Coordinates of all heavy atoms in Angstrom, one line a residue:
P506 N -14.0 10.2 -5.5 CA -14.3 8.8 -5.4 C -13.0 8.0 -5.7 O -12.1 8.4 -6.3 CB -15.4 8.5 -6.3 CG -15.3 9.6 -7.3 CD -14.7 10.8 -6.6
F507 N -13.1 6.7 -5.2 CA -12.0 5.8 -5.5 C -11.9 5.6 -7.1 O -12.9 5.3 -7.7 CB -12.3 4.4 -4.9 CG -11.3 3.3 -5.2 CD1 -10.3 3.1 -4.3 CD2 -11.4 2.6 -6.3 CE1 -9.3 2.1 -4.5 CE2 -10.4 1.6 -6.6 CZ -9.4 1.3 -5.7
A508 N -10.7 5.7 -7.6 CA -10.5 5.5 -9.1 C -9.2 4.7 -9.2 O -8.1 5.2 -8.9 CB -10.4 6.8 -9.8
L509 N -9.3 3.5 -9.8 CA -8.1 2.7 -10.1 C -7.4 3.3 -11.3 O -8.0 3.5 -12.3 CB -8.6 1.3 -10.3 CG -7.6 0.2 -10.3 CD1 -6.9 0.1 -8.9 CD2 -8.3 -1.2 -10.5
I510 N -6.1 3.6 -11.2 CA -5.4 4.2 -12.3 C -4.3 3.3 -12.9 O -3.7 3.6 -13.9 CB -4.8 5.6 -12.0 CG1 -3.9 5.5 -10.8 CG2 -5.9 6.6 -11.7 CD1 -3.1 6.8 -10.5
A511 N -4.0 2.2 -12.2 CA -3.0 1.2 -12.6 C -3.2 -0.1 -12.0 O -3.6 -0.2 -10.8 CB -1.5 1.7 -12.4
G512 N -3.0 -1.2 -12.7 CA -3.0 -2.5 -12.1 C -4.3 -3.2 -12.0 O -4.5 -4.1 -11.3
A513 N -5.3 -2.7 -12.8 CA -6.6 -3.3 -12.7 C -6.6 -4.8 -12.9 O -7.3 -5.6 -12.3 CB -7.6 -2.6 -13.7
G514 N -5.8 -5.3 -13.9 CA -5.7 -6.7 -14.2 C -5.1 -7.5 -13.0 O -5.3 -8.8 -13.0
A515 N -4.5 -6.9 -12.1 CA -3.9 -7.6 -10.9 C -4.9 -7.9 -9.8 O -4.7 -8.7 -9.0 CB -2.7 -6.8 -10.3
L516 N -6.1 -7.3 -9.9 CA -7.1 -7.4 -8.9 C -8.2 -8.3 -9.3 O -8.6 -8.4 -10.5 CB -7.7 -6.0 -8.6 CG -6.8 -5.0 -8.0 CD1 -7.5 -3.6 -7.8 CD2 -6.1 -5.4 -6.7
D517 N -8.9 -9.0 -8.3 CA -10.1 -9.8 -8.5 C -11.3 -8.9 -8.8 O -12.1 -9.2 -9.6 CB -10.4 -10.6 -7.3 CG -9.4 -11.8 -7.2 OD1 -8.9 -12.3 -8.3 OD2 -9.2 -12.3 -6.1
S518 N -11.3 -7.7 -8.2 CA -12.4 -6.8 -8.4 C -12.0 -5.4 -7.9 O -11.0 -5.3 -7.1 CB -13.7 -7.3 -7.6 OG -13.4 -7.3 -6.2
V519 N -12.8 -4.4 -8.2 CA -12.5 -3.0 -7.8 C -13.2 -2.9 -6.4 O -14.4 -3.2 -6.3 CB -13.1 -2.0 -8.8 CG1 -12.9 -0.6 -8.3 CG2 -12.4 -2.2 -10.1
P520 N -12.5 -2.4 -5.4 CA -13.1 -2.3 -4.1 C -14.1 -1.2 -4.0 O -14.1 -0.2 -4.8 CB -11.9 -2.0 -3.2 CG -10.8 -1.6 -4.1 CD -11.1 -2.1 -5.5
K521 N -15.0 -1.4 -3.1 CA -16.0 -0.3 -2.8 C -15.6 0.5 -1.6 O -15.2 -0.1 -0.6 CB -17.4 -1.0 -2.5 CG -17.9 -1.9 -3.6 CD -18.5 -1.1 -4.7 CE -19.2 -2.0 -5.7 NZ -18.6 -2.0 -7.0
V522 N -15.6 1.8 -1.7 CA -15.2 2.6 -0.6 C -16.4 3.6 -0.4 O -16.8 4.3 -1.3 CB -13.9 3.4 -0.9 CG1 -13.5 4.3 0.3 CG2 -12.8 2.5 -1.3
S523 N -16.9 3.7 0.8 CA -17.9 4.6 1.2 C -17.4 5.8 1.9 O -16.3 5.8 2.5 CB -18.9 3.9 2.1 OG -19.5 2.8 1.5
D524 N -18.1 6.9 1.8 CA -17.7 8.2 2.4 C -17.5 8.0 3.9 O -18.3 7.4 4.6 CB -18.7 9.3 2.2 CG -18.1 10.6 2.4 OD1 -17.1 11.0 1.7 OD2 -18.6 11.4 3.2
G525 N -16.3 8.4 4.4 CA -16.0 8.3 5.8 C -15.3 7.0 6.2 O -14.9 6.8 7.4
D526 N -15.2 6.1 5.3 CA -14.5 4.8 5.6 C -13.0 5.1 5.9 O -12.5 6.1 5.5 CB -14.5 3.9 4.3 CG -15.8 3.1 4.1 OD1 -16.7 3.2 5.0 OD2 -15.9 2.4 3.1
R527 N -12.5 4.2 6.7 CA -11.1 4.3 7.1 C -10.3 3.2 6.5 O -9.0 3.2 6.6 CB -10.9 4.3 8.6 CG -11.5 5.5 9.3 CD -11.3 5.5 10.8 NE -12.0 6.6 11.4 CZ -11.5 7.8 11.7 NH1 -10.2 8.0 11.3 NH2 -12.2 8.7 12.3
R528 N -10.9 2.2 5.9 CA -10.3 1.1 5.3 C -10.6 0.8 3.8 O -11.8 1.1 3.5 CB -10.7 -0.2 6.1 CG -10.2 -0.3 7.5 CD -10.9 -1.4 8.2 NE -11.0 -2.6 7.5 CZ -10.3 -3.7 7.7 NH1 -9.4 -3.8 8.6 NH2 -10.5 -4.8 7.0
V529 N -9.7 0.4 3.1 CA -9.9 -0.1 1.7 C -9.2 -1.5 1.6 O -8.1 -1.7 2.1 CB -9.4 0.9 0.6 CG1 -7.9 1.1 0.7 CG2 -9.8 0.4 -0.8
V530 N -10.0 -2.4 1.0 CA -9.5 -3.8 0.9 C -9.3 -4.1 -0.6 O -10.2 -4.0 -1.4 CB -10.5 -4.8 1.5 CG1 -9.9 -6.2 1.4 CG2 -10.7 -4.5 3.0
L531 N -8.1 -4.5 -0.9 CA -7.8 -4.9 -2.3 C -7.5 -6.4 -2.4 O -6.6 -6.9 -1.6 CB -6.5 -4.1 -2.8 CG -6.7 -2.6 -2.8 CD1 -5.4 -1.9 -2.4 CD2 -7.1 -2.1 -4.2
S532 N -8.2 -7.1 -3.2 CA -8.0 -8.5 -3.4 C -7.1 -8.7 -4.6 O -7.5 -8.6 -5.8 CB -9.3 -9.2 -3.6 OG -10.1 -9.2 -2.5
I533 N -5.8 -9.0 -4.4 CA -4.8 -9.1 -5.4 C -4.8 -10.5 -6.0 O -4.6 -11.5 -5.2 CB -3.4 -8.7 -4.9 CG1 -3.4 -7.3 -4.4 CG2 -2.4 -8.9 -6.0 CD1 -2.2 -6.8 -3.7
R534 N -5.1 -10.7 -7.3 CA -5.0 -12.0 -7.9 C -3.6 -12.4 -8.1 O -3.2 -13.4 -7.8 CB -5.8 -11.9 -9.2 CG -5.8 -13.3 -10.0 CD -6.5 -13.2 -11.3 NE -7.7 -12.4 -11.3 CZ -7.9 -11.3 -12.1 NH1 -7.0 -10.9 -12.8 NH2 -9.0 -10.7 -12.0
S535 N -2.8 -11.5 -8.8 CA -1.4 -11.8 -9.0 C -0.7 -10.4 -9.4 O -1.3 -9.6 -10.1 CB -1.3 -12.7 -10.2 OG 0.1 -13.0 -10.5
L536 N 0.4 -10.2 -8.8 CA 1.2 -9.0 -9.0 C 2.7 -9.4 -9.1 O 3.3 -9.8 -8.1 CB 1.0 -8.0 -7.9 CG 1.5 -6.6 -8.1 CD1 0.8 -5.9 -9.3 CD2 1.4 -5.8 -6.8
V537 N 3.2 -9.3 -10.3 CA 4.6 -9.7 -10.5 C 5.6 -8.7 -9.9 O 5.2 -7.6 -9.7 CB 4.9 -9.9 -12.0 CG1 4.0 -11.0 -12.6 CG2 4.7 -8.6 -12.8
P538 N 6.9 -9.1 -9.7 CA 7.8 -8.2 -9.1 C 8.0 -7.0 -10.0 O 8.0 -7.0 -11.2 CB 9.1 -9.0 -9.2 CG 8.7 -10.5 -9.1 CD 7.4 -10.5 -9.9
G539 N 8.0 -5.8 -9.3 CA 8.1 -4.5 -9.9 C 6.8 -3.9 -10.4 O 6.7 -2.7 -10.7
A540 N 5.8 -4.7 -10.5 CA 4.5 -4.2 -10.9 C 3.8 -3.4 -9.9 O 4.1 -3.5 -8.7 CB 3.6 -5.4 -11.4

Side-chain angles (χ1 to χ4, degrees):
F507 178 96
L509 197 57
I510 58 171
L516 298 176
D517 285 330
S518 61
V519 176
K521 302 280 188 245
V522 181
S523 297
D524 200 58
D526 280 354
R527 294 182 186 271
R528 294 169 38 107
V529 61
V530 179
L531 299 143
S532 294
I533 300 172
R534 179 182 320 116
S535 180
L536 190 65
V537 299

